[in-house]
Amino acid sequence: GVGARGLAVGDAWLRLARAGAGPAGLGFLLLLSPLRRPRRASSFVAASAQPPLPGQCPPPCECSEAARTVKCVNRNLTEVPADLPPYVRNLFLTGNQLAVLPAGAFSRLPPLAELAALNLSGSRLEEVRAGAFEHLPSLRQLDLSHNPLASLSPFAFSGSNASVSPPSPLVELILNHILPPDDDERHNRSFEGMVAAALRAGQALRGLRRLELTSNCFAYLPHDVLAQLPSLRHLDLRNNSLVSLTYVSFRNLTHLESLHLEDNALKALHNGTLAELQGLPQVRVFLDNNPWVCDCHMVDMVTWLKETEIVQGKAGLTCAFPEKMRNRVLLELNSSDLDCDPILPPSLQTSYVFLGIVLALIGAIFLLVLYLNRKGIKKWMHNIRDACRDHMEGYHYRYEINADPRLTNLSSNSDV
């Protein structure tokens, strides 16, 4: 206020000086003009000496403070930027070359206390180590999809020290298409077991509500993979290779609202699984595009489908095997239609035909070898016959001696 008043007074004197005539006005002008220039210079120096604003955007990223969003997309980054602004709530690090996510990868001073959504999809992550997401107290959504994860630490979500680390704040975890491209990695270590260990370690994800595990070629689910997820509401297992759910327990998922099992290899659901699903109060189950085998093992499932209301689109479920039942609607089947005839799928029939052809070739080769060596085999058989004849003649001679009483007494009274 004082500065503004001073400038106003100076402007008034300047106007008076300009309005005045003669040397007096000029003298006033020359006297007042140097008084104003230092004020402008000093204000410029003060402005240039101010420190830079905190939380400026990293060079390879795009930031929006109003939207609390930072995007570092397709920048070929090999590590997480160190100078992320503390206001960030939504962080996109997609399409980079991160490879390894070490412990404390997002630890900062000041901390990223407001970061709620983190997207790391398509960043070629091969290893996520223990404690990689520590010091993110507000993290709710994490997307690790489309990364060739060969190593996912059991403590990736629980912290480097699971015994003292607080539970993870995660509510939504997306792990779609994280299968390593190298088949050797898959065979050397159970991929399903690796993911299950990270999901159940230390009860870190007990607040998780959504879990997506699509397109991972899971052939089975470990029996305790869902044991530490009591708050789960949405489970997505689409586009895997699940053959059965016999060893998976859904009993403790009392809040489960949707279960997606489309595009798997399920042949039938058995009594234990049916009873657990029916016991969940508000679940909706999706079972489309599975190769259902309509034989005697399907009786319980067909009966259950006719009575339950939790299966969405159940009128569209059809049989895939056997051939005579193909495309039959499950809800239209009766128990008399479901038998266990020894009718094999065409693929299995083809396998048996191929096996028969191989065995026939082996037999033909064996007969050919016998034919080419017929003379030697005939001589060998004659030798065996002569040896057997000599052996039998010796037995016959001893029998005649033992049967003749005269020769018996002679042999017993002889001193020789």
Side-chain angles (χ1 to χ4, degrees):
V2 174
R5 286 195 298 270
L7 288 176
V9 172
D11 290 338
W13 279 108
L14 280 173
R15 286 195 296 270
L16 289 174
R18 288 170 182 168
L26 182 59
F28 269 112
L29 182 61
L30 293 176
L31 178 65
L32 291 176
S33 54
L35 293 176
R36 297 191 62 188
R37 287 175 186 168
R39 182 180 296 274
R40 291 182 180 178
S42 62
S43 62
F44 175 76
V45 172
S48 63
Q50 290 179 355
L53 294 175
Q56 291 188 352
C57 192
C61 305
E62 299 176 2
C63 305
S64 172
E65 186 173 0
R68 300 290 193 268
T69 300
V70 176
K71 294 182 178 180
C72 310
V73 179
N74 297 326
R75 300 296 184 181
N76 291 324
L77 299 177
T78 57
E79 59 182 9
V80 179
D83 48 353
L84 291 171
Y87 62 75
V88 60
R89 290 181 185 174
N90 307 298
L91 176 59
F92 295 86
L93 293 171
T94 61
N96 289 292
Q97 309 284 337
L98 297 180
V100 177
L101 208 59
F106 298 90
S107 299
R108 300 290 185 275
L109 287 176
L112 303 177
E114 297 187 19
L115 183 59
L118 176 58
N119 193 327
L120 292 162
S121 61
S123 288
R124 303 203 177 187
L125 275 173
E126 299 179 5
E127 181 180 1
V128 178
R129 296 176 181 172
F133 306 103
E134 282 187 312
H135 309 293
L136 296 176
S138 300
L139 187 62
R140 298 291 184 270
Q141 181 185 31
L142 176 60
D143 191 345
L144 294 173
S145 301
H146 298 278
N147 284 296
L149 284 181
S151 177
L152 179 62
S153 171
F155 307 108
F157 310 114
S158 60
S160 54
N161 191 348
S163 59
V164 298
S165 297
S168 172
L170 278 176
V171 173
E172 182 174 342
L173 179 58
I174 304 174
L175 298 172
N176 299 332
H177 206 287
I178 58 172
L179 184 69
D182 190 357
D183 290 338
D184 293 336
E185 292 286 345
R186 180 177 174 86
H187 293 310
N188 292 339
R189 183 178 181 183
S190 171
F191 183 66
E192 296 86 349
M194 180 184 71
V195 175
L199 293 177
R200 64 172 180 255
Q203 298 185 348
L205 299 175
R206 62 189 182 191
L208 195 67
R209 295 187 179 185
R210 174 180 290 273
L211 176 61
E212 295 185 14
L213 294 168
T214 68
S215 305
N216 286 315
C217 297
F218 285 158
Y220 72 99
L221 289 179
H223 69 280
D224 56 350
V225 64
L226 306 174
Q228 305 296 336
L229 305 175
S231 302
L232 200 62
R233 298 192 179 189
H234 305 279
L235 178 58
D236 197 341
L237 295 166
R238 281 178 288 188
N239 196 30
N240 282 289
S241 302
L242 297 175
V243 178
S244 173
L245 300 176
T246 304
Y247 302 106
V248 184
S249 177
F250 300 94
R251 188 177 296 109
N252 67 320
L253 303 182
T254 55
H255 300 286
L256 192 64
E257 297 177 3
S258 65
L259 174 60
H260 289 271
L261 294 166
E262 303 101 308
D263 300 293
N264 277 280
L266 295 173
K267 298 182 295 183
L269 299 181
H270 301 289
N271 275 337
T273 302
L274 300 177
E276 289 188 357
L277 293 178
Q278 194 63 38
L280 301 178
Q282 51 192 359
V283 71
R284 293 173 300 155
V285 183
F286 301 85
L287 297 171
D288 300 315
N289 299 327
N290 280 284
W292 304 111
V293 178
C294 296
D295 57 12
C296 58
H297 303 292
M298 180 64 76
V299 174
D300 295 330
M301 181 176 171
V302 170
T303 304
W304 176 74
L305 283 175
K306 293 179 179 180
E307 298 175 353
T308 187
E309 297 297 331
I310 68 174
V311 178
Q312 307 299 302
K314 62 181 181 179
L317 302 180
T318 58
C319 302
F321 300 106
E323 186 63 32
K324 67 176 184 178
M325 302 291 290
R326 186 182 295 275
N327 296 326
R328 291 279 302 273
V329 179
L330 297 186
L331 291 179
E332 298 177 358
L333 299 178
N334 298 317
S335 57
S336 58
D337 299 324
L338 300 170
D339 53 14
C340 285
D341 293 336
I343 300 177
L344 300 175
S347 59
L348 197 55
Q349 293 177 1
T350 304
S351 300
Y352 277 114
V353 170
F354 180 74
L355 180 61
I357 294 174
V358 171
L359 292 176
L361 289 175
I362 294 175
I365 293 173
F366 180 72
L367 292 176
L368 180 62
V369 171
L370 291 180
Y371 177 76
L372 294 177
N373 292 278
R374 62 187 182 278
K375 293 183 179 179
I377 294 174
K378 185 177 181 180
K379 182 178 179 181
W380 175 72
M381 293 181 65
H382 281 308
N383 292 336
I384 292 178
R385 185 190 62 182
D386 294 339
C388 291
R389 181 185 297 168
D390 295 340
H391 195 61
M392 294 302 296
E393 286 180 354
Y395 272 112
H396 182 68
Y397 177 73
R398 276 184 248 168
Y399 174 77
E400 288 181 349
I401 292 177
N402 294 334
D404 192 341
R406 293 174 298 172
L407 296 176
T408 302
N409 294 333
L410 179 61
S411 63
S412 61
N413 295 329
S414 176
D415 294 331
V416 181

